[in-house]
Amino acid sequence: MYQAEVKNLNFTQSNLQARYDKLLGASKTKSKDVNNVTEVASVVHSVDTVIAVVDSFGGIKAKLEDAFVDIDVEVLPNRNTIIDYEVRDSLTIFNIQKKHSWLFGLIKWKEQKGIKVINHNPKAEIINLRTIDIIE
């Protein structure tokens, strides 16, 4: 598992609208309803060796399958290649707040401390993580 952590950035409502206009419109979300945005980018890289078999039509087939990836490669007799793949990723995102109490618990408030993202795919690595708070 890989973990990444980042400090919070701040956006105004107009910054949010300008940057995420198409995404907000496609998801039918109003910018005034958004108070936090988290962006995660990861890359999956692996080198694996599998046994290739010759099928009855003279083509070659190879397959790799585990908990995070399914890859089927078929080389046809005319040397065209079909690659069918599916890559799954598993992320856990923790939003961390520190709770404060003042005067015997009568006045309470929360302080945003950050976000932690844990990637459960051993073949993937988090390459970019950014959380943005929307301010008035």
Side-chain angles (χ1 to χ4, degrees):
M1 290 191 298
Y2 294 96
Q3 175 180 312
E5 189 171 355
V6 70
K7 299 290 182 193
N8 288 348
L9 304 173
N10 291 321
F11 263 26
T12 62
Q13 286 290 336
S14 59
N15 294 134
L16 176 73
Q17 186 66 36
R19 182 173 176 120
Y20 296 103
D21 185 41
K22 290 182 183 176
L23 187 61
L24 289 169
S27 64
K28 298 178 183 172
T29 305
K30 296 179 182 177
S31 63
K32 67 178 183 175
D33 296 334
V34 176
N35 62 0
N36 186 303
V37 177
T38 301
E39 296 176 346
V40 180
S42 66
V43 64
V44 178
H45 178 262
S46 179
V47 176
D48 296 298
T49 303
V50 296
I51 297 173
V53 296
V54 178
D55 66 10
S56 58
F57 298 108
I60 299 173
K61 291 185 176 186
K63 181 176 180 103
L64 173 66
E65 185 175 354
D66 65 18
F68 294 100
V69 67
D70 290 327
I71 302 173
D72 288 316
V73 179
E74 184 176 357
V75 181
L76 302 174
N78 64 0
R79 300 183 80 179
N80 286 338
T81 303
I82 300 170
I83 302 173
D84 181 13
Y85 64 94
E86 178 180 310
V87 178
R88 294 173 294 283
D89 214 347
S90 179
L91 300 173
T92 302
I93 300 176
F94 293 110
N95 187 2
I96 300 167
Q97 292 181 339
K98 186 174 182 181
K99 297 177 183 175
H100 298 279
S101 180
W102 181 66
L103 195 58
F104 305 109
L106 296 176
I107 300 174
K108 295 182 180 181
W109 74 95
K110 296 177 184 178
E111 176 186 355
Q112 180 70 21
K113 296 298 283 183
I115 291 180
K116 291 185 179 181
V117 177
I118 299 169
N119 191 338
H120 300 279
N121 186 345
K123 296 178 181 180
E125 180 180 352
I126 297 171
I127 58 172
N128 187 20
L129 172 64
R130 184 165 61 175
T131 180
I132 303 164
D133 284 330
I134 310 304
I135 59 176
E136 296 294 325

